[in-house]
Every structure is written in structure tokens, then in C-alpha cells.
Amino acid sequence: MFWHEVTIYTSKEDLEPLAESLVQIGMQGAVIYDPDEAKQFLSERSDGWDMLDEHLFEGLGEKPKVTVYLPEGSQGMQILNEIKTLAESFASSEIAVSSINDEDWQNSWKRFFKPIKVGSKLLVKPAWEAADPEGRIVISIDPSNSFGSGTHESTQLCLAALEDNVLAGMSVLDVGCGSGILSSAAALLGASSVLALDIDEASVNTTINTAKLNNVDNKIRAILSDLLKEASGVFDLVVANIFADVIATLAGQLEGFLKAGGLFISSGIIMDGLELVLDAYRENGIEVLEIREQGNWLLVVGRMSDH
């Protein structure tokens, strides 16, 4: 099977807003490339990154870009037209379209995914590579086309926040579970049960596979659900790595699902969406405890008040 590889070249300023807009029209597997961040990453790498190929970014160019993959056929062409219309709203953007076969699409990204330390306790590694844990908790991941390899800043923010807040025996709800990396992390950090929700069937299946990879499938249940529509139970902690407007909607649904005193961790937020999220927390009885920032992304930790 062949796929359309759609690359949108843009300015550094438009890179994150463009990527967020693509996700909002349903493109969950966007690959973001910022040459400045790539160069900084290489220049700052420590001995812990000695497994990194120094020629990793060769051939990727000097202009920021976002790449997505569409299936061939009428559905793919319909989405492509939506992307073209979206790109036109960003004055600096140009589109390039090429075709690749299924095997290339599934495997070409793997050369960019290397073990990465997150927080003080976690090490995220691809399932196909060995890594010295160095005393850390290892999370093995094969995300396929689902979001959450551990390399994105919003995912790292969530992992570090889970490390700081998950206690042994907790029940956790992961909304928008993607690859299942946060669900498996919560279980590995001591949660006794995790309910993982996603609107995408591929993400639910990937979450189940991730749980099996990490030997925590006995703790994790993953189901199809549009936010909390299919959820049941009351949880000690809810985590959501999505986007500001969806987080605001979710905050209004948490009553009855998040225990009094329970924690709500949300990320995938850029600065323009922060006030929307903070207002939603406050309006729904969730006390804002902490705001964290990494790169252009923000995370908010809140506590459900007693009613």
C-alpha cells in the first residue's frame, strides 16, 4: 500500500501553531522538525547520549517543517485538501507531497527514536533497542502511528509529573492515551489500576501492546471513548496530554470521576491556551497547584476540591 507524505515547510514562529492546527483536524501523527532545536540537541548531548548517531539530522534541511502521512484514495485526498486550505492560512507555509510504500512509512521514523532519560527515575526506550537502565525505571515503547514516543516536550512534562505524583496503589485515568506511554508509566510507578481512553482504535490497540511490552497489562484496561463517555469508576489521578480546548471540556466532565483531593494533570498546552485551561480548572472546583513549562509547552497540575 502507498501513502502520501505531506510536508509543510513553514517559519519557526508558525511551527507549533501549525502542528496544533493539524492535530485539531485529526492528524495525530504529525512529525515536527525544527533545525535550530536539532542543532541544540546535538550540541548539548552528554555522555548519556553516546548511542546517538551524529549524522542523525543530515539531509533533513534547514527549514522548519511538519510532516504527516495520508492513505491513498479518496479519503486521503479529502484530508489533503483540508491540509492545503489550512496551510494557506499560514503565510509562510509551502507544501510538498510525495508517495512512499507502507513498509518505508512504518519504519523510516525509527532511526530518530533513541533512549531518553525523563525526570529522575524514568528511561524511555524503543522496544527494538537495548539500553542500560542505570537504576531507572525503563518504559519500552513501540508507538507505531500513535502519539507518545517520549520525545515530545508535552509527553516528557507528563511523565515527570507522574513520577512526582503517582503513589503506590493509586487508580489512574489516562484520557487521550495515544501510544499508552503514560498509562504504562503510571503502572510502573506504582499505580494499581489504569483506565486508558482514546477516540482512535489504533491508539487503544497500541496502548494494550505497550502495556504488554512493559509487563503491566494486568493493571491497564484500554477502551474506545470520546473523552469520558465510556468511562466508569472514580480515580485518584487523571492525566490528559491533549490540547487546551479539549482539556477545558474535560475539566467540566471530571466531577464524579476524580476523587475529592484527587489530582488532574494536563499538558499539550501552549501559552495562548493557558488561561482557558486555568479558567476551566477554577470553574470546575479544581485548585491549580503547579504550572510547569518545557520549550513551548505547558503542564498544569490541579487538585479536585471537596464539595
Side-chain angles (χ1 to χ4, degrees):
M1 179 177 178
F2 281 83
W3 296 75
H4 300 295
E5 181 182 71
V6 183
T7 301
I8 309 170
Y9 297 91
T10 190
S11 66
K12 185 176 179 66
E13 293 72 25
D14 285 342
L15 188 60
E16 295 289 356
L18 173 61
E20 181 175 357
S21 297
L22 285 167
V23 173
Q24 289 173 347
I25 65 170
M27 299 310 303
Q28 297 293 329
V31 179
I32 304 170
Y33 173 66
D34 183 337
D36 292 338
E37 290 187 2
K39 291 172 184 175
Q40 182 180 0
F41 175 71
L42 286 174
S43 67
E44 293 179 352
R45 85 184 199 281
S46 66
D47 291 342
W49 287 96
D50 58 2
M51 72 286 285
L52 182 68
D53 181 355
E54 291 190 4
H55 303 290
L56 190 62
F57 300 105
E58 283 183 2
L60 291 180
E62 292 297 322
K63 191 167 186 180
K65 60 185 178 182
V66 182
T67 302
V68 296
Y69 296 90
L70 309 176
E72 62 181 351
S74 58
Q75 181 185 12
M77 292 307 297
Q78 180 180 350
I79 300 172
L80 177 58
N81 289 332
E82 291 183 39
I83 292 173
K84 287 179 177 178
T85 301
L86 172 64
E88 288 174 359
S89 65
F90 293 87
S92 62
S93 298
E94 301 174 1
I95 287 185
V97 182
S98 59
S99 295
I100 58 174
N101 67 45
D102 189 65
E103 183 178 354
D104 289 342
W105 176 62
Q106 292 289 349
N107 294 306
S108 62
W109 63 272
K110 289 186 177 181
R111 62 194 170 104
F112 301 106
F113 184 16
K114 299 296 178 181
I116 181 171
K117 296 175 182 177
V118 180
S120 60
K121 297 180 183 177
L122 301 175
L123 176 71
V124 180
K125 78 170 189 69
W128 54 89
E129 285 199 14
D132 181 357
E134 301 179 31
R136 289 173 174 259
I137 298 169
V138 177
I139 307 171
S140 293
I141 186 79
D142 186 353
S144 185
N145 60 343
S146 298
F147 177 80
S149 65
T151 59
H152 194 275
E153 290 164 331
S154 66
T155 307
Q156 292 181 22
L157 281 166
C158 285
L159 288 169
L162 288 174
E163 177 185 299
D164 292 340
N165 291 286
V166 171
L167 301 175
M170 270 189 168
S171 57
V172 173
L173 177 62
D174 179 6
V175 184
C177 54
S179 69
I181 186 172
L182 300 182
S183 293
S184 284
L188 289 166
L189 288 164
S192 60
S193 64
V194 181
L195 177 61
L197 310 176
D198 206 290
I199 198 171
D200 176 50
E201 186 173 3
S203 292
V204 170
N205 292 334
T206 303
T207 294
I208 293 169
N209 290 335
T210 300
K212 291 177 179 177
L213 273 176
N214 291 283
N215 298 313
V216 289
D217 47 307
N218 62 323
K219 294 184 175 183
I220 296 172
R221 184 166 68 98
I223 62 172
L224 275 172
S225 181
D226 183 357
L227 293 182
L228 302 184
K229 285 184 179 178
E230 306 300 324
S232 60
V234 183
F235 301 88
D236 297 302
L237 186 150
V238 176
V239 60
N241 186 20
I242 35 184
F243 286 103
D245 54 344
V246 185
I247 292 167
T249 300
L250 176 60
Q253 299 179 2
L254 285 180
E255 187 173 1
F257 291 97
L258 181 59
K259 292 179 180 178
L263 298 177
F264 180 30
I265 298 171
S266 64
S267 190
I269 307 161
I270 58 174
M271 187 59 70
D272 288 347
L274 179 60
E275 284 305 316
L276 175 66
V277 171
L278 296 180
D279 288 345
Y281 270 56
R282 295 172 184 129
E283 289 168 6
N284 291 284
I286 304 168
E287 177 191 3
V288 176
L289 301 178
E290 183 182 7
I291 299 171
R292 302 186 185 188
E293 183 175 356
Q294 185 172 338
N296 295 319
W297 298 91
L298 300 162
L299 174 141
V300 180
V301 180
R303 179 186 291 120
M304 179 65 79
S305 62
D306 297 323
H307 294 291

